[in-house]
Amino acid sequence: MAATAYLERASDGAYDGIAPDADWREEVLRLARERDAVILAHNYQLPEIQDIAHHTGDSLALSRIAAASEASTIIFCGVHFMAETAKILAPHKTVLIPDERAGCSLADSITADQLREWKSQHPGAVVVSYVNTTADVKAETDICCTSSNAVDVVASIPADREVLFLPDQFLGAHVKRETGRENLRIWAGECHVHAGINGPELAARAAENPDADLFIHPECGCATSALYLAGEGAVPAEQVKILSTGDMITAARGTSAKSVLVATEVGMLHQLRKAAPEIDFRPVNDRASCTYMKMITPTALLRCLRENLDEVHVDAETARRAQGAVQRMIEIGQPGGGE
């Protein structure tokens, strides 16, 4: 069959050599059944990976599915911190990521040592970490948040307590703007893909498509610009929606707009078009593609299932402490979209 040269590498180092044809699909699903595995795919994955997965969604939603699943093995098609979160919530299950090199520039923008140093400079502060962080950072965190509940998480903290918010500076700016909280300190991290979707680009696309809704992820460098456009009347305020990836799906099914400009990683367009095929979804920046997300190729997925690679491990004590931070987030209320 076509699935033979599965250890070939593309020029970017990703596993390559197999086309996602019917033979590939049949073998992937057969191996998943034999291994008692559930395949989870993040919204930013390649369309063919999203389409073969048993579940597709944002990282936290998928991690919760992993914990609730009866499957003994989790195949997490995403980036490494997401697979770690699944392991934290499902410690007794085998968690595999099809390519362990699939990292995240945002998660890598702060280390546990850096966080400990920051905490030492602000004794008594409450640490709020976005779920897009490593297990080691979560273990140093008081409470996690998602992009859809970050405002609620910070608002739940007594007003006289200083808050250290990390690692995304754009999400932090959104939270500060919404809460008006002056004692919120923000780490200067960013997702390189979302940071690259800028205000002038958004303004130009909006001017070309004046009737389009704007779906803006709060990690984007253009989120503030979107609100400015609404405030200045350049775009009707009701057309500007700051949304997590999970909330974008809900909004797509509920909007009356005929076209939507989407400011997030371009993989999201696949799920949006499936959710509302009658709407014209267009990226604000069609180059906003995450190289790490796209490392999970059809070849990598088949390799993972054939060879039982690559397994994700989290130290038991680290997992225990990190799980506490995630659980406290969940107890505040439904966390909605994971990022």
Side-chain angles (χ1 to χ4, degrees):
M1 63 165 52
T4 54
Y6 65 97
L7 287 180
E8 291 182 14
R9 295 286 186 91
S11 58
D12 61 0
Y15 293 103
D16 200 6
I18 294 177
D21 56 16
D23 286 341
W24 169 81
R25 183 179 181 85
E26 180 182 352
E27 184 171 0
V28 165
L29 295 177
R30 176 181 60 79
L31 288 169
R33 288 192 300 271
E34 291 176 1
R35 292 193 177 279
D36 188 32
V38 61
I39 301 172
L40 310 179
H42 189 270
N43 291 320
Y44 296 162
Q45 289 289 291
L46 293 166
E48 51 267 33
I49 299 296
Q50 293 188 42
D51 287 345
I52 202 169
H54 297 111
H55 301 280
T56 303
D58 58 63
S59 69
L60 184 63
L62 292 175
S63 293
R64 294 170 80 176
I65 289 170
S69 173
E70 295 182 357
S72 61
T73 298
I74 310 301
I75 311 294
F76 208 118
C77 299
V79 294
H80 201 270
F81 82 80
M82 299 178 181
E84 279 190 336
T85 305
K87 184 66 175 179
I88 289 166
L89 294 180
H92 303 301
K93 297 185 179 183
T94 298
V95 177
L96 305 177
I97 183 169
D99 192 330
E100 65 181 357
R101 301 167 302 163
C104 172
S105 60
L106 178 56
D108 288 345
S109 66
I110 186 168
T111 65
D113 285 342
Q114 288 174 316
L115 177 52
R116 283 189 284 268
E117 173 62 23
W118 199 27
K119 287 164 67 175
S120 74
Q121 297 168 10
H122 302 276
V126 178
V127 177
V128 177
S129 291
Y130 193 18
V131 292
N132 295 33
T133 46
T134 65
D136 288 340
V137 167
K138 288 184 177 75
E140 294 293 331
T141 294
D142 293 305
I143 182 168
C144 287
C145 71
T146 68
S147 59
S148 62
N149 81 341
V151 172
D152 290 339
V153 166
V154 171
S156 75
I157 299 168
D160 61 345
R161 295 288 301 277
E162 187 176 27
V163 176
L164 304 183
F165 188 94
L166 61 107
D168 190 80
Q169 60 183 311
F170 298 112
L171 179 58
H174 170 68
V175 171
K176 190 166 189 173
R177 184 169 54 241
E178 291 294 309
T179 62
R181 193 168 188 133
E182 293 301 321
N183 60 352
L184 179 71
R185 299 186 181 275
I186 302 168
W187 188 260
E190 64 181 29
C191 161
H192 71 287
V193 175
H194 283 101
I197 307 175
N198 59 55
E201 198 165 37
L202 174 67
R205 299 291 85 73
E208 294 165 359
N209 302 272
D211 297 325
D213 274 1
L214 307 183
F215 285 8
I216 313 293
H217 195 284
E219 284 182 35
C220 286
C222 66
T224 299
S225 297
L227 296 174
Y228 175 80
L229 291 173
E232 292 295 301
V235 177
E238 64 272 15
Q239 290 176 211
V240 177
K241 307 177 194 299
I242 309 296
L243 301 165
S244 68
T245 56
D247 291 336
M248 284 185 184
I249 298 291
T250 302
R253 293 181 175 130
T255 186
S256 58
K258 292 183 172 58
S259 61
V260 175
L261 294 171
V262 182
T264 192
E265 209 273 354
V266 294
M268 190 68 212
L269 294 167
H270 185 62
Q271 285 301 313
L272 289 171
R273 288 164 178 162
K274 289 175 69 174
E278 73 282 5
I279 295 174
D280 179 20
F281 292 99
R282 299 182 187 179
V284 170
N285 181 337
D286 61 9
R287 303 174 308 284
S289 178
C290 177
T291 301
Y292 296 117
M293 282 286 183
K294 272 48 177 182
M295 290 177 77
I296 310 302
T297 61
T299 307
L301 177 57
L302 188 55
R303 164 188 172 271
C304 174
L305 283 160
R306 281 178 172 176
E307 302 187 20
N308 214 38
L309 297 171
D310 293 315
E311 186 168 359
V312 175
H313 299 279
V314 179
D315 171 76
E317 178 59 17
T318 299
R320 183 192 66 78
R321 294 171 60 203
Q323 187 175 38
V326 174
Q327 187 59 40
R328 283 187 284 277
M329 171 190 71
I330 292 171
E331 289 170 358
I332 286 179
Q334 283 296 324
E339 69 287 315

